[in-house]
């Protein structure tokens, strides 16, 4: 009997499904519309659809990338949340941080966003630890009972607990949880020493509260999926690993970037296999575009991320998200200028061309109007109303005083610059030159603007994988089981025996968690956060395995000096006036899995027919030199499945496949490599500024 593994990625517009045959390595992909009202419906529809192509197959594993937690935070659906903190620190959420976000010239134009928990839902409990974990004042049990009963009487059932210095000793938080479980058993409780055991009270408090806020929603959703699926399954985490659904319900905050993380990992494997270990990844969806950087085969990680207005200091793949997807809405500003995004038409009602009641022009409508995508999606499963898109674009053009063609082109131009700015944020601000990196473009809308991005950013090339709309779902099947653990230990002279003790404790916790997942021979990856004495923020560097000794410490310090110079352009390796301070020690516990193999494809044989277009249609390219009356020209349309390694398509042309479309502008070529990727480049004599 065939044994298959299935990855399901639920996006804002479509649910993407990939199935891998564990015996043959054969990969099967499909898509189905997402169901925002009940994401579990789209999930199960995708499972049934892909299994319909593998009769009699036995499913050995299902891995899921979900946006349930992400959407709850982005939409600010935070209700009935309570907070318990140390007596005297009830204003920690109000004080927050004083830094003004980018984009505001000065603080006069910026007002702090609302607190995640209103002031009247904060309770304090007596008791105090110092920064070493030593007890200064004993835990106030009576105060804890009073706080628990206060929440119970008001029906507040999601509660976050963060006591001062509990990263050093969780004893007081553990006692608070015991009181809540006894006095208020209906409550869902998150304590900071479980969620984020490191210092900085504000970030630790908010991260814990976010975990508590999404926990009820995630538990209900995963319970529904488990009931409908009838078998155990795993969920993608923001850190680039997966974990069983049974474990994820206890740490749902780890899934806040579930889908985007899977896309970055899938693209990293595609690029590495094609001989590009370091790339930029661009995941273009219906609602947004997610950008990441892959260095030496691994996406960059951060603990400085967040979702919406909520900082989340959990380890996550370093992803920048911009509201520039296929469903991004174009509208006029009060000043009469054209704006695109971040608002999105989503899956329901969707773009005007979906015919489901959408009334505002979207990026997809502009592509349809210009002929750059066909009058259907998913190989004809989703017909598009090109006439409705034309009428909507014409109406918007009348408001702007432009021709419909210039209006549609302008919508796409703004969307391309929005994506380019996200890429610059992730590269230039991190000391990387975008011109040094090829880009992997995937997602349903990812390939649509790659020719413009090559010119805007000076990219050397763009790689478009086969089935680009399913790369995130494919990425779900390429990742290991992974858990992260951290301990704060601030010191200028790290005692080696203390380092060994902390790493041993963290690795023990990781081993226990992986054993519950069935891994008896786990792999541990160590890292450390360091800074120059007097700095406020740290740089994370990998730490060698083995017993910490003098050589081990010297190696970590050397890596810190190099990383600091690479990030900021300077370092103090040989300056004794600038000591180095150790801040956090970290361990990632990894349970390795077998990754699917991307097979090589045979080139076109001597007896095979030459590559030929499947047809033509009028397409408008802004750089046409001999346009027709409406600025369009008859353009060859190729089927992606017809391209073999060594084939090349010269623009103007369009390459179509089941889940995505690649418009090849004049002056560009798209060549197929040995793994089936299309590599898009500007021709040497092609005119820039397309």
């Amino acid at each position: 009997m065939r044994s298959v593994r299935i990855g399901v990625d639920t996006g804002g517009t479509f649910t993407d499904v990939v199935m891998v045959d564990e015996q043959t390595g054969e990969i099967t992909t499909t898509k189905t519309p997402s169901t925002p009202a009940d994401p579990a419906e789209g999930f199960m529809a995708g499972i049934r659809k892909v299994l319909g192509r593998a009769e009699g197959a036995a499913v050995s594993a299902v891995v899921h990338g979900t946006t349930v937690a992400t959407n709850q935070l982005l939409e600010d659906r935070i209700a009935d949340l309570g907070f318990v903190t140390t007596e005297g620190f009830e204003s920690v959420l109000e004080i927050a941080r004083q830094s003004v976000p980018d984009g505001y010239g000065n603080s006069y134009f910026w007002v702090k966003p609302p607190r995640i928990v209103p002031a009247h839902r904060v309770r304090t409990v007596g008791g105090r630890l110092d920064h070493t974990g030593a007890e200064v004042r004993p835990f106030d049990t009576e105060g804890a009972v009073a706080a628990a009963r206060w929440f119970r009487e008001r029906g507040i059932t999601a509660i976050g607990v963060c006591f001062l210095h509990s990263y050093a000793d969780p004893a007081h938080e553990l006692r608070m949880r015991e009181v809540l479980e006894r006095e208020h058993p209906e409550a869902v409780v998150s304590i900071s020493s479980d969620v984020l055991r490191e210092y900085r009270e504000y970030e630790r408090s908010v991260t814990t509260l976010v975990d508590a806020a999404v926990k009820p929603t995630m538990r209900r959703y995963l319970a529904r999926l488990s009931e409908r699926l009838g078998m155990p399954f795993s969920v993608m985490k923001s850190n680039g690993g997966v974990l069983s659904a049974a474990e994820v319900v206890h740490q749902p905050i780890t899934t806040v970037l579930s889908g985007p993380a899977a896309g970055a990992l899938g693209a990293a494997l595609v690029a590495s296999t094609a001989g590009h270990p370091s790339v930029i990844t661009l995941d273009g969806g219906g609602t947004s575009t997610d950008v990441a950087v892959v260095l030496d085969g691994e996406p960059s990680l951060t603990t400085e991320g967040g979702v919406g207005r909520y900082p989340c200091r959990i380890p996550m793949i370093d992803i920048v998200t911009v509201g520039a997807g296929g469903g991004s809405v174009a509208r006029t500003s009060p000043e009469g200028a054209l704006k695109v995004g971040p608002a999105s038409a989503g899956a329901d009602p969707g773009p005007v061309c979906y015919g489901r009641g959408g009334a505002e022009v979207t990026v997809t409508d502009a592509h349809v109007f210009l002929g750059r995508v066909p009058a259907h999606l998913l190989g004809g499963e989703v017909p598009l109303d090109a006439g409705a898109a034309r009428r909507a674009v014409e109406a918007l053009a009348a408001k702007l005083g432009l021709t419909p063609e210039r209006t549609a082109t302008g919508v796409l131009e703004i969307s391309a610059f929005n994506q380019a700015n996200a890429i610059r944020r992730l590269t230039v601000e991190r000391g990387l030159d975008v011109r040094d990196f090829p880009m992997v473009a995937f997602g349903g809308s990812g390939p649509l603007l790659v020719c413009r991005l090559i010119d805007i950013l000076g990219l050397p090339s763009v790689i478009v994988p086969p089935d680009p709309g399913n790369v995130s779902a494919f990425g779900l099947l390429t990742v290991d089981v992974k858990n992260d653990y951290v301990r704060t230990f601030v010191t200028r002279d790290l005692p080696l025996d203390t380092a060994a003790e902390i790493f041993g404790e963290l690795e023990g916790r990781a081993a226990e968690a992986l054993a519950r997942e069935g891994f008896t021979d786990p792999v541990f990856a160590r890292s450390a956060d360091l800074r120059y004495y007097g700095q406020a923020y740290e740089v994370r560097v990998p730490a060698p395995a083995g017993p910490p000794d003098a050589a081990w410490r010297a190696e970590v310090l050397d890596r810190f000096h190099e990383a600091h110079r690479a990030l900021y352009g300077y370092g103090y390796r040989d300056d004794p006036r600038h000591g180095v301070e150790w801040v956090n020690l970290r361990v990632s516990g990894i349970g390795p899995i077998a990754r699917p193999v991307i097979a090589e494809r045979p080139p076109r044989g001597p007896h095979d027919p030459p590559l030929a277009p499947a047809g033509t249609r009028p397409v408008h390219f802004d750089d046409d030199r001999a346009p027709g009356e409406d600025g369009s020209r008859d353009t060859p349309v190729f089927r992606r499945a017809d391209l073999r390694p060594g084939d090349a398509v010269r623009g103007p042309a369009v390459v179509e496949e089941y889940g995505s479309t690649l418009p090849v502008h004049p002056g560009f070529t798209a060549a197929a490599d040995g793994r089936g990727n299309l590599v898009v480049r500007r021709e040497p004599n092609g005119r820039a500024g397309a």
Side-chain angles (χ1 to χ4, degrees), residues 2-370:
R2 295 177 61 188
S3 176
V4 298
R5 299 171 62 220
I6 299 176
V8 184
D9 177 51
T10 301
T13 305
F14 290 104
T15 294
D16 306 326
V17 188
V18 171
M19 179 174 64
V20 175
D21 189 307
E22 295 190 301
Q23 283 74 44
T24 66
E26 179 186 358
I27 297 174
T28 304
T29 65
T30 191
K31 299 168 81 76
T32 188
S34 293
T35 51
D38 183 5
E41 276 297 321
F43 177 96
M44 291 307 302
I47 291 282
R48 290 190 293 267
K49 188 174 181 181
V50 78
L51 285 178
R53 304 183 185 181
E55 293 185 13
V59 180
S60 65
V62 175
V63 186
H64 182 31
T66 174
T67 57
V68 169
T70 313
N71 292 341
Q72 182 181 352
L73 297 175
L74 290 176
E75 296 167 15
D76 263 347
R77 289 185 281 110
I78 307 294
D80 298 328
L81 183 62
F83 181 40
V84 182
T85 190
T86 301
E87 188 177 55
F89 287 82
E90 58 270 20
S91 298
V92 64
L93 300 179
E94 195 68 52
I95 296 170
R97 292 292 173 197
Q98 302 305 306
S99 57
V100 178
D102 292 341
Y104 294 86
N106 56 61
S107 60
Y108 295 107
F109 296 99
W110 177 64
V111 178
K112 284 185 181 181
R115 304 161 43 120
I116 187 172
V117 176
H120 68 276
R121 288 188 184 151
V122 177
R123 299 287 98 183
T124 63
V125 174
R128 182 73 177 270
L129 305 174
D130 68 14
H131 70 284
T132 68
E135 188 173 78
V136 177
R137 290 196 296 272
F139 179 73
D140 180 5
T141 304
E142 290 185 5
V145 170
R149 291 176 178 175
W150 188 90
F151 288 122
R152 184 188 66 197
E153 291 166 1
R154 287 156 181 79
I156 298 171
T157 56
I159 301 170
V161 179
C162 182
F163 290 150
L164 193 68
H165 300 310
S166 56
Y167 58 84
D169 187 338
H172 285 191
E173 286 192 352
L174 293 172
R175 292 179 64 184
M176 186 69 223
R177 182 166 63 185
E178 291 171 0
V179 170
L180 285 165
E181 289 173 347
R182 183 177 67 248
E183 300 290 336
H184 190 8
E186 295 82 14
V188 173
V189 180
S190 294
I191 63 175
S192 74
S193 50
D194 280 351
V195 176
L196 183 69
R197 196 169 171 179
E198 64 179 84
Y199 87 143
R200 291 197 174 100
E201 306 308 315
Y202 171 67
E203 287 80 4
R204 186 156 53 92
S205 297
V206 174
T207 303
T208 303
L209 288 165
V210 168
D211 186 75
V214 302
K215 193 173 284 185
T217 304
M218 284 295 293
R219 285 185 172 179
R220 289 192 298 268
Y221 174 63
L222 294 177
R224 286 200 306 273
L225 275 189
S226 296
E227 181 180 351
R228 297 185 190 186
L229 191 59
M231 64 174 289
F233 65 99
S234 300
V235 179
M236 182 76 200
K237 297 170 63 180
S238 307
N239 67 352
V242 296
L243 200 61
S244 70
E247 291 285 332
V248 161
V249 294
H250 302 300
Q251 42 183 296
I253 192 174
T254 61
T255 69
V256 293
L257 285 181
S258 176
L265 287 158
L269 180 59
V270 167
S272 296
T273 304
H276 303 283
S278 297
V279 294
I280 298 164
T281 71
L282 182 141
D283 181 0
T287 303
S288 62
T289 294
D290 303 308
V291 177
V293 172
V294 176
L295 299 174
D296 296 324
E298 296 292 336
S300 300
L301 292 173
T302 183
T303 55
E304 303 294 329
V307 178
R309 62 184 178 90
Y310 304 110
C312 298
R313 287 186 62 90
I314 58 168
M316 60 178 67
I317 291 178
D318 195 0
I319 292 171
V320 171
T321 299
V322 61
S328 294
V329 172
R331 54 166 62 93
T332 56
S333 71
E335 299 79 20
L338 177 62
K339 302 286 186 181
V340 180
S344 173
D348 187 12
V352 176
C353 59
Y354 279 21
R356 297 177 185 167
E360 296 180 293
V361 173
T362 67
V363 172
T364 296
D365 293 312
H367 281 295
V368 170
F369 174 83
L370 296 173

Side-chain angles (χ1 to χ4, degrees), residues 303-474:
T303 55
E304 303 294 329
V307 178
R309 62 184 178 90
Y310 304 110
C312 298
R313 287 186 62 90
I314 58 168
M316 60 178 67
I317 291 178
D318 195 0
I319 292 171
V320 171
T321 299
V322 61
S328 294
V329 172
R331 54 166 62 93
T332 56
S333 71
E335 299 79 20
L338 177 62
K339 302 286 186 181
V340 180
S344 173
D348 187 12
V352 176
C353 59
Y354 279 21
R356 297 177 185 167
E360 296 180 293
V361 173
T362 67
V363 172
T364 296
D365 293 312
H367 281 295
V368 170
F369 174 83
L370 296 173
R372 298 186 190 179
V373 300
H376 57 77
L377 299 177
L378 306 188
E381 295 180 24
V382 180
L384 301 179
D385 188 341
R390 170 172 288 277
R391 290 189 293 274
V393 170
E394 289 172 344
L396 179 61
K399 292 182 181 179
L400 294 166
L402 299 173
T403 67
E405 290 75 22
R406 293 300 302 160
T407 299
T409 302
V411 169
L412 301 187
E413 188 75 355
I414 294 170
S415 185
F417 270 89
N418 287 340
Q419 293 181 359
N421 289 337
I423 293 171
R424 288 191 178 107
R425 284 177 56 194
L426 203 63
T427 53
V428 176
E429 293 183 9
R430 287 156 177 78
L432 303 173
D433 190 337
V434 66
R435 296 169 296 182
D436 294 337
F437 294 85
M439 186 174 78
V440 182
F442 58 99
S445 66
L448 289 169
L449 296 172
V450 297
C451 291
R452 284 299 296 129
L453 291 174
I454 287 174
D455 277 343
I456 293 170
L457 294 168
L459 299 169
S461 63
V462 172
I463 301 160
V464 181
D467 296 311
N470 291 77
V471 169
S472 291
F474 172 74

